């Protein structure tokens, strides 16, 4: 009798343990749904499904309300007891109309957009699989809400709401990627990230300094890489994917492999990707001004102009890249979660194509203008603890170390002198983030942050004829930049229809730089900044019905001067040189958002967001004097002296609008369009359009889904930017723009037609294909220095296991 009782006890435990594993499937195909999210407010719990559609929901016990969401499906809300009565099996119905989703970027913690007054979007891995984007910059662009500028093929500088570069913030697994040398000019650091290794990508529009600190003026781009998945059923969990891809416009050859191995307590994920791109071919039909039918080649100790057999090739633009990621996870119990992650990315050297377009005396200005290998490495350790005490319900400690290396190599035509400038940044960060629910209606998010950047800059002048080299002027002073901050963000649900959110952050920043006066007679040898900024936000979300959401948000933001602002020497344009200015202060922004989203009969969804941003103390290039001189010799040219100064007031306003329509027979239609206008003060008190306020742009799509097939037809477009509407600093850049009928520079309007498709041959194998720029248009996105691909055929094979 005793043995029988023990046997029954163990059987009941086994049945209950299996009952705590929830499986989520598609209601039509009964296929498992990966990365579906489950969230509960009481108790505080969150889970995502693995590749088998399974999630451990033991932490949701006694929950009255569990929200189950994933993009492309109708949200389901059930209690734990309801799930138990249904044998822990959930079937989701396909729906292209969603008013809410789960996001992380708003507070560093998972929240429903129901409670977030700022506009946040997600880009799902399923969309990335269909679109087959080559870089993480292109990944952001498929949203239709982020504009991407490129100066070379190995590039991609996002523009959001009239801001870009160091007025936007990048995070990877919650770690700040912006460094002290992020510049105001276009940057390409985002290509270090691997689109294949992304579990989710989010964009928060508008200021985010309460959570993220300096630079988060125009928005925050949050990249979440693959998280190791634990086994749930007792059997080891082994999942992964292998991808190979070819694209015709640049002869792309790409391969990727990742594998997840999970046990009860331990899990690990390994990811490796390799890309190889040839010179990029531009379209056949478009402005002749974009064609450069030559390149420079060194022959017999002489630089020779070589005429191209194919004038549509943009030489030099070829490059390659490798990415490696390794993560390990350990959960000693339900309350603790330890994760370590290693990321490494390295590109080959690649040409900066817009500089190769520059001419002098009727011929090529440069024989070489290349970026050296761009390297990024990150080590991150995170510790998460779940409990229920008077200080926190959850706490996460994140320790990270990153190293960045980039370099610039240039040489004038038929000159033996090659300039090499190498920049290295080592970044350390500590984040302690806590969450505490004080009752069913109130949740506080708070924490502290410490960031240290050490900058080492080296200059080398090389004689390619003799092979000798000597020290040259560095691009930056040897510097350190420190940020110390504390923040609190409070979410209060006033009623079932109204949620308020307010936050406050104090940030103290320090910068110390040491200048070498060997090459330039600066009137100083050191410079320092020791200052602070207080920022806040107040917003609310009102949901009068299940089909209508209204949100409003007011927030301030700041950007502390960094090493690039304070200490850089560079040629901003022919005949002008920017020199250091040690008297800089922080920029401040004030932003207001108003958003509305409405669903009609579960068939049509419209959403609008209007915003207005004022940037005070804006850092802009202005004429300057160095030792009383308004011009100095730089790179053999008498150049006008300029410096960054807190000299302008800038304004940006605009509208983001979206439309989604669910059509019969598996069809759906959607469109995103963005209008923004920016202006900044000039020296004489007049105004000029802001450089990073893109022209009207958007994407319109027609989708078809049927069982294993998904097809997308879409048009991508940009409005014209006339000469008189160009920023003053852009009007003289002949190497970038087309010529209008008066011979002035301008950015023409353009539109491309595209098609993508993916077919799941089996549960393991899938084939995807597409044609981009079907009409083979020759075009350049606004301020880009290289034309976009011409007609591009894409073929990709994928295996999921």
């Amino acid at each position: 009798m005793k043995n029988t009782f023990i046997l029954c006890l163990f059987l009941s435990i086994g049945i209950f343990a299996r009952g705590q594993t929830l499986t989520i499937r598609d209601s039509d195909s009964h296929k498992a749904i990966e990365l579906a999210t489950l969230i509960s407010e009481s108790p505080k719990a969150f889970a995502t499904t693995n590749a088998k559609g399974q999630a451990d929901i033991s932490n949701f016990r006694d929950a009255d309300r569990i929200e189950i969401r994933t993009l492309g499906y109708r949200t389901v809300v059930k209690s734990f007891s309801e799930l138990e009565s249904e044998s822990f099996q959930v079937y989701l119905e396909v729906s292209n109309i969603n008013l809410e989703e789960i996001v992380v970027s708003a507070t560093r913690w998972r929240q429903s957009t129901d409670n977030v007054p700022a506009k946040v979007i997600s880009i799902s891995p399923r969309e990335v699989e269909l679109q087959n984007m080559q870089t993480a910059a292109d990944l952001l662009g498929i949203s239709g809400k982020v504009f991407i500028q490129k100066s070379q093929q190995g590039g991609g500088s996002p523009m959001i709401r009239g801001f870009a570069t160091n007025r936007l913030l990048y995070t990877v697994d919650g770690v700040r990627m912006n460094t002290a040398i992020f510049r105001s000019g276009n940057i390409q650091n985002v290509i270090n990230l691997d689109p294949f290794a992304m579990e989710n990508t989010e964009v928060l529009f508008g200021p985010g300094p309460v959570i993220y600190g300096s630079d988060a003026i125009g928005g925050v781009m949050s990249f979440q890489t693959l998280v190791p998945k634990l086994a749930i059923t007792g059997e080891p969990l082994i999942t992964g994917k292998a991808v190979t891809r070819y694209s015709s416009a640049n002869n792309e050859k790409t391969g990727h492999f990742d594998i997840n191995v999970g046990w009860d307590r331990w899990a690990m994920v390994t990811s490796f990707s390799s890309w190889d791109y040839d010179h990029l071919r531009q379209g056949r039909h478009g402005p002749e001004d974009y064609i450069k039918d030559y390149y420079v080649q060194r022959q017999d100790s002489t630089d020779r102009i070589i005429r191209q057999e194919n004038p549509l090739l943009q030489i030099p633009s070829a490059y390659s890249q490798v990415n490696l990621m390794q993560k390990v996870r350990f959960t000693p119990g339900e309350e603790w979660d330890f994760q370590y992650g290693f990321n490494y990315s390295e590109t080959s050297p690649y040409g900066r194509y817009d500089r190769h377009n520059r001419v002098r005396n009727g011929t090529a200005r440069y024989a070489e203008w290349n970026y050296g290998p761009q390297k990024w490495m990150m080590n991150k350790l995170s510790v998460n603890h779940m409990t229920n005490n008077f200080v926190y319900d959850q706490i996460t400690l994140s320790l990270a170390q990153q190293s960045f290396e980039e370099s610039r190599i240039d040489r004038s035509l038929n000159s033996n002198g090659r300039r090499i400038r190498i920049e290295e940044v080592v970044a350390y960060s500590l984040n302690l983030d806590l969450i505490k629910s004080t009752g069913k209606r109130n949740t506080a998010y708070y924490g502290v942050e410490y960031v240290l950047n050490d900058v080492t800059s080296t200059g080398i002048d090389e004689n390619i004829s003799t092979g000798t080299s000597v020290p040259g002027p560095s691009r930056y002073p040897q510097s350190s930049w420190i940020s110390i901050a504390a923040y609190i963000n409070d979410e209060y649900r006033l009623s079932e229809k109204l949620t308020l959110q307010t936050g406050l952050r104090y940030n103290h920043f320090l910068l110390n730089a040491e200048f070498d006066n060997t090459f330039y007679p600066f009137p100083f040898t050191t410079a320092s900044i020791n200052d602070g900024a207080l920022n806040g936000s107040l917003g609310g979300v009102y949901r009068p019905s299940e089909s209508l959401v209204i949100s409003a948000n007011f927030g301030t933001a700041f950007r502390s001067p960094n090493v690039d602002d304070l200490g850089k020497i560079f040629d901003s344009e022919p005949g002008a040189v920017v020199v250091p200015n040690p008297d800089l202060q922080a920029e401040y922004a004030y932003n207001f958002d108003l958003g509305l989203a409405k669903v009609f009969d579960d068939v049509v969804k419209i959403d609008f967001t209007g915003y207005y941003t004022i940037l005070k103390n804006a850092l802009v290039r202005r004429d300057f004097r160095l030792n009383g001189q308004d011009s100095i010799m730089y790179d053999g040219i008498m150049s006008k002296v300029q410096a960054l100064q807190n000299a302008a007031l800038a304004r940006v306003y605009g509208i983001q609008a979206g439309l989604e329509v669910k059509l019969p027979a598996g069809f759906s239609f959607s469109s995103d369009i963005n209008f923004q206008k920016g202006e900044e003060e000039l020296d004489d008190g007049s105004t000029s359009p802001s450089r990073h306020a893109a022209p009207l742009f958007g994407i319109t799509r027609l989708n078809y889904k049927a069982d294993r097939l998904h097809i997308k037809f879409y048009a991508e477009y940009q409005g014209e930017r006339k000469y008189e509407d160009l920023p003053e600093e852009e009007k003289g850049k002949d190497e970038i723009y087309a010529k209008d009928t008066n011979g002035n520079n301008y950015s023409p309007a353009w539109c491309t037609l595209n098609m993508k498709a993916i077919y799941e041959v089996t549960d393991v194998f899938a084939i995807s294909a597409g044609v981009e720029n079907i009409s083979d248009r020759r075009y350049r996105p606004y301020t880009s220095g290289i034309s976009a691909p011409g007609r591009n055929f894409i073929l990709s094979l994928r295996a999921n296991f």
Side-chain angles (χ1 to χ4, degrees):
M1 181 67 181
K2 180 180 179 181
N3 292 337
T4 303
F5 175 78
I6 293 174
L7 177 63
C8 291
L9 177 63
F10 276 107
L11 285 173
S12 64
I13 292 173
I15 292 171
F16 186 75
R18 288 194 298 272
Q20 291 174 310
T21 299
L22 178 71
T23 303
I24 301 177
R25 300 181 183 275
D26 184 290
S27 61
D28 295 326
S29 66
H30 286 200
K31 288 182 57 179
I33 299 177
E34 185 179 7
L35 297 178
T37 59
L38 299 89
I39 191 167
S40 165
E41 292 296 327
S42 180
K44 276 285 184 190
F46 178 87
T48 59
T49 56
N50 59 24
K52 297 181 179 180
Q54 298 173 331
D56 183 355
I57 60 169
S58 56
N59 290 332
F60 291 79
R61 193 185 315 279
D62 299 326
D64 294 326
R65 182 182 175 87
I66 302 173
E67 299 177 4
I68 304 172
R69 295 188 174 111
T70 190
L71 288 174
Y73 289 88
R74 192 186 308 276
T75 299
V76 170
V77 179
K78 292 182 178 292
S79 66
F80 187 90
S81 59
E82 287 176 316
L83 294 176
E84 188 175 19
S85 67
E86 296 170 2
S87 302
F88 297 101
Q89 299 284 329
V90 172
Y91 295 89
L92 299 184
E93 297 179 4
V94 174
S95 174
N96 295 312
I97 308 295
N98 288 297
L99 272 180
E100 70 286 313
E101 55 186 298
I102 301 298
V103 295
V104 178
S105 56
T107 61
R108 293 186 185 271
W109 298 95
R110 295 173 178 90
Q111 287 179 285
S112 167
T113 51
D114 283 351
N115 303 323
V116 179
K119 183 177 181 66
V120 184
I121 64 165
S122 294
I123 304 170
S124 70
R126 285 192 291 270
E127 183 69 11
V128 176
E129 289 178 11
L130 172 66
Q131 291 281 6
N132 272 308
M133 311 314 296
Q134 293 187 349
T135 69
D138 299 330
L139 184 156
L140 293 166
I142 66 175
S143 67
K145 300 178 179 68
V146 179
F147 190 87
I148 303 298
Q149 180 277 352
K150 293 187 179 182
S151 297
Q152 63 279 329
Q153 184 176 200
S157 187
M159 298 182 184
I160 299 176
R161 291 190 174 184
F163 295 100
T165 61
N166 56 17
R167 290 171 181 156
L168 301 176
L169 190 79
Y170 303 78
T171 70
V172 184
D173 294 340
V175 178
R176 177 190 182 92
M177 195 179 187
N178 292 42
T179 72
I181 63 170
F182 264 40
R183 56 189 180 273
S184 58
N186 297 305
I187 58 176
Q188 60 271 357
N189 300 72
V190 72
I191 70 168
N192 283 124
L193 306 180
D194 183 357
F196 292 111
M198 293 302 152
E199 190 160 292
N200 191 42
T201 303
E202 297 177 10
V203 182
L204 182 150
F205 294 90
V210 170
I211 305 299
Y212 296 102
S214 178
D215 304 359
I217 293 177
V220 177
M221 291 156 285
S222 173
F223 298 90
Q224 174 62 59
T225 60
L226 298 171
V227 176
K229 301 293 192 302
L230 298 165
I232 296 175
T233 60
E235 296 292 325
L237 175 69
I238 302 176
T239 60
K241 64 178 179 287
V243 182
T244 183
R245 185 174 65 212
Y246 174 80
S247 299
S248 64
N250 54 3
N251 198 27
E252 177 205 11
K253 296 175 286 292
T254 288
H256 168 80
F257 176 79
D258 67 67
I259 183 170
N260 181 101
V261 181
W263 297 272
D264 289 342
R265 300 295 186 189
W266 289 88
M268 60 183 66
V269 61
T270 302
S271 172
F272 176 79
S273 298
S274 173
W275 298 265
D276 184 80
Y277 306 110
D278 206 340
H279 302 298
L280 181 64
R281 187 189 72 85
Q282 59 186 324
R284 189 173 301 277
H285 311 292
E288 294 293 321
D289 307 292
Y290 294 157
I291 292 180
K292 178 179 72 70
D293 61 353
Y294 64 88
Y295 60 94
V296 179
Q297 190 174 83
R298 189 78 170 174
Q299 297 178 354
D300 300 323
S301 300
T302 303
D303 293 325
R304 301 188 185 278
I305 304 297
I306 307 298
R307 293 294 168 182
Q308 299 174 195
E309 293 183 7
N310 184 353
L312 299 181
L313 287 180
Q314 301 176 94
I315 303 175
S317 59
Y319 81 105
S320 60
Q321 180 174 333
V322 293
N323 274 61
L324 173 66
M325 183 182 75
Q326 178 65 58
K327 287 188 173 183
V328 180
R329 183 180 183 185
F330 174 56
T331 56
E334 292 184 358
E335 294 184 351
W336 291 94
D337 191 343
F338 296 82
Q339 293 189 39
Y340 166 76
F342 170 81
N343 291 269
Y344 182 78
S345 172
E346 181 175 350
T347 71
S348 66
Y350 52 92
R352 179 166 172 177
Y353 189 75
D354 62 340
R355 294 298 173 95
H356 283 273
N357 278 344
R358 286 187 176 178
V359 297
R360 185 167 67 180
N361 300 326
T363 189
R365 167 71 177 85
Y366 293 103
E368 304 174 41
W369 212 118
N370 304 317
Y371 286 111
Q374 182 171 290
K375 302 176 184 179
W376 169 65
M377 182 181 71
M378 180 172 78
N379 292 277
K380 181 198 173 188
L381 174 67
S382 66
V383 181
N384 180 269
H385 183 227
M386 297 178 60
T387 187
N388 186 12
N389 59 40
F390 72 98
V391 178
Y392 62 86
D393 298 327
Q394 290 188 59
I395 184 172
T396 297
L397 172 65
S398 296
L399 302 172
Q401 179 267 339
Q402 299 178 83
S403 62
F404 302 81
E405 181 180 324
E406 59 187 54
S407 55
R408 294 160 178 81
I409 304 100
D410 69 85
R411 182 173 62 83
S412 297
L413 188 72
N414 288 319
S415 169
N416 289 328
R418 175 188 288 149
R419 299 189 308 168
I420 303 172
R421 304 295 181 259
I422 303 170
E423 279 69 59
E424 296 172 284
V425 179
V426 180
Y428 305 91
S429 62
L430 179 153
N431 289 87
L432 186 66
D433 300 297
L434 306 93
I435 180 174
K436 178 63 182 176
S437 295
T438 54
K440 290 186 176 182
R441 293 182 178 272
N442 193 78
T443 303
Y445 308 87
Y446 61 103
V448 295
E449 179 184 70
Y450 175 84
V451 179
L452 166 64
N453 282 194
D454 281 328
V455 178
T456 301
S457 186
T458 305
I460 301 172
D461 290 341
E462 182 180 20
N463 187 305
I464 64 170
S465 177
T466 63
T468 59
S469 61
V470 296
S474 62
R475 182 176 172 89
Y476 299 112
Q478 312 310 306
S479 313
S480 66
W481 182 88
I482 296 174
S483 170
I484 305 169
Y487 76 90
I488 183 168
N489 195 76
D490 192 74
E491 174 191 305
Y492 183 70
R493 187 178 289 272
L494 198 62
S495 68
E496 291 300 316
K497 295 183 178 181
L498 178 60
T499 300
L500 300 178
Q501 194 168 121
T502 185
L504 199 64
R505 178 189 182 105
Y506 178 74
N507 215 120
H508 200 83
F509 46 90
L510 304 96
L511 194 161
N512 292 289
E514 296 182 1
F515 292 86
D516 183 353
N517 289 356
T518 303
F519 302 97
Y520 298 104
F522 299 128
F524 44 81
T525 57
T526 62
S528 64
I529 296 176
N530 187 341
D531 206 350
L534 182 67
N535 291 99
S537 65
L538 174 64
V541 180
Y542 178 54
R543 190 162 188 161
S545 68
E546 289 296 318
S547 62
L548 177 62
V549 175
I550 302 171
S551 60
N553 192 50
F554 173 78
T556 63
F558 79 102
R559 189 177 75 82
S560 64
N562 63 18
V563 176
D564 184 88
D565 299 314
L566 179 141
K568 180 173 65 176
I569 303 173
F570 78 109
D571 53 331
S572 61
E573 59 190 64
V577 60
V578 175
V579 301
N581 178 7
D583 299 319
L584 298 179
Q585 297 177 337
E587 299 178 321
Y588 281 89
Y590 304 85
N591 178 83
F592 178 73
D593 280 67
L594 182 63
L596 180 147
K598 171 68 176 176
V599 173
F600 299 90
D601 298 325
D602 201 28
V603 173
V604 177
K605 174 187 173 183
I606 59 171
D607 67 87
F608 296 92
T609 302
Y611 58 90
Y612 189 94
T613 305
I614 298 175
L615 183 66
K616 293 185 175 181
N617 259 4
L619 291 172
V620 292
R621 288 200 295 264
R622 292 287 186 265
D623 290 345
F624 196 66
R625 286 184 174 271
L626 183 63
N627 292 329
Q629 295 179 304
D630 61 5
S631 297
I632 61 173
M633 290 297 296
Y634 182 81
D635 194 22
I637 299 174
M638 183 59 68
S639 301
K640 179 173 59 176
V641 175
Q642 295 183 325
L644 284 179
Q645 302 172 53
N646 295 103
L649 176 72
R651 297 181 179 86
V652 179
Y653 56 90
I655 294 175
Q656 295 174 293
L659 172 67
E660 298 178 35
V661 182
K662 185 178 180 181
L663 302 171
F667 286 93
S668 63
F669 173 87
S670 66
S671 187
D672 289 288
I673 193 165
N674 306 265
F675 166 81
Q676 49 276 312
K677 186 174 178 62
E679 57 184 24
E680 64 181 40
E681 288 181 330
L682 299 178
D683 275 343
D684 60 5
S686 62
T687 61
S688 170
S690 295
R691 177 185 179 188
H692 293 131
L696 180 80
F697 73 94
I699 299 178
T700 298
R701 318 166 188 85
L702 179 65
N703 283 279
Y704 173 74
K705 290 183 180 180
D707 194 20
R708 294 179 176 270
L709 177 65
H710 183 186
I711 303 176
K712 182 189 293 283
F713 298 92
Y714 64 98
E716 191 170 359
Y717 40 87
Q718 174 208 291
E720 180 184 70
R721 181 60 57 86
K722 297 179 179 179
Y723 173 77
E724 53 267 29
D725 295 327
L726 284 176
E728 290 299 317
E729 61 189 295
E730 296 292 299
K731 288 181 177 179
K733 296 182 179 179
D734 296 335
E735 70 272 19
I736 289 179
Y737 295 103
K739 300 292 185 181
D740 62 19
T741 55
N742 297 318
N744 294 320
N745 292 328
Y746 85 116
S747 179
W750 53 264
C751 177
T752 64
L753 302 177
N754 315 269
M755 188 275 289
K756 302 285 178 65
I758 185 169
Y759 180 71
E760 297 176 0
V761 182
T762 68
D763 289 343
V764 175
F765 295 101
I767 182 170
S768 58
V771 185
E772 296 176 333
N773 193 1
I774 294 172
S775 59
D776 206 19
R777 302 301 305 170
R778 184 186 309 131
Y779 71 99
R780 286 185 183 176
Y782 168 69
T783 72
S784 291
I786 189 169
S787 298
R791 185 183 294 119
N792 186 28
F793 295 93
I794 304 168
L795 179 64
S796 177
L797 302 177
R798 175 184 296 264
N800 297 294
F801 59 91

